[in-house]
Amino acid sequence: GPMSAISRRAMLYLTTASTLRLPATLHNTSGESTSRSDQVQRLYDYLDATVPKLLRGPVGQFAYPSVSPSLPGREYSASLWDWDTLWSCRGLLAYSEARSDADFHAKLLEHCRGSLRNFFAHQDANGRLPILMTDVNTDLLHSTGSNVPTHANQAKPVFAQLAWLIA
């Protein structure tokens, strides 16, 4: 049947690592109470249907498989952002661990690693990495190259964190 509405705040809350610490009941936007287990199951059903759509193969300027920050056809679906890639991989890997599916986990790791490799494939001669890439433009924000001042593309702890996560 049709799903009842759920607020954006409730969905964000449900998608955090604290999902297991939810209160016994939540209230959706129509004020109805639903049990914690119903909400968690609803979240997992949504993720089971959605997450595979975020894993894309090599395309255009992306020589490696990667994790899309949004669903196909939506804004940013052909993009890789530095920080978004870290947070997407972190959340998806937590979801994957909860699924206990070794094949899916291996596929997800391949896509997370590919995302990182796509950034390094477009590193400039000074060692700078893009902030935002699309499948047709590897430096949409003009953050690499010899004409870019250092302050325009700062150090990237995000990539060290992503490398540690997927090691």
Side-chain angles (χ1 to χ4, degrees):
M3 293 174 50
S4 60
I6 186 168
S7 72
R8 182 171 184 253
R9 175 174 286 165
M11 182 55 86
L12 291 172
Y13 181 64
L14 286 169
T15 59
T16 65
S18 64
T19 298
L20 298 176
R21 289 183 238 134
L22 289 173
T25 60
L26 292 174
H27 298 279
N28 62 24
T29 55
S30 61
E32 300 167 336
S33 293
T34 56
S35 73
R36 173 182 171 222
S37 62
D38 289 344
Q39 289 292 331
V40 170
Q41 186 57 54
R42 190 168 159 201
L43 174 62
Y44 277 106
D45 291 346
Y46 171 81
L47 292 172
D48 288 344
T50 304
V51 169
K53 298 174 188 174
L54 298 175
L55 306 182
R56 61 178 167 215
V59 60
Q61 296 294 319
F62 302 143
Y64 305 98
S66 58
V67 176
S68 174
S70 62
L71 292 171
R74 300 284 178 99
E75 188 172 6
Y76 303 118
S77 64
S79 303
L80 275 178
W81 292 79
D82 52 7
W83 281 100
D84 296 59
T85 298
L86 169 66
W87 294 115
S88 295
C89 288
R90 184 179 299 279
L92 293 175
L93 286 167
Y95 159 74
S96 174
E97 289 171 13
R99 273 186 80 195
S100 301
D101 179 339
D103 292 337
F104 176 77
H105 190 75
K107 182 177 181 178
L108 179 57
L109 271 176
E110 174 191 9
H111 284 73
C112 291
R113 289 173 179 150
S115 295
L116 182 63
R117 292 178 75 186
N118 282 318
F119 279 101
F120 278 96
H122 300 289
Q123 183 175 26
D124 73 12
N126 295 316
R128 295 182 192 150
L129 298 167
I131 295 170
L132 166 62
M133 302 185 301
T134 70
D135 57 1
V136 297
N137 185 335
T138 61
D139 191 15
L140 199 65
L141 298 179
H142 311 288
S143 55
T144 61
S146 60
N147 296 332
V148 177
T150 303
H151 71 273
N153 190 354
Q154 301 146 9
K156 298 287 191 169
V158 62
F159 291 117
Q161 292 175 43
L162 180 57
W164 179 263
L165 178 68
I166 60 180

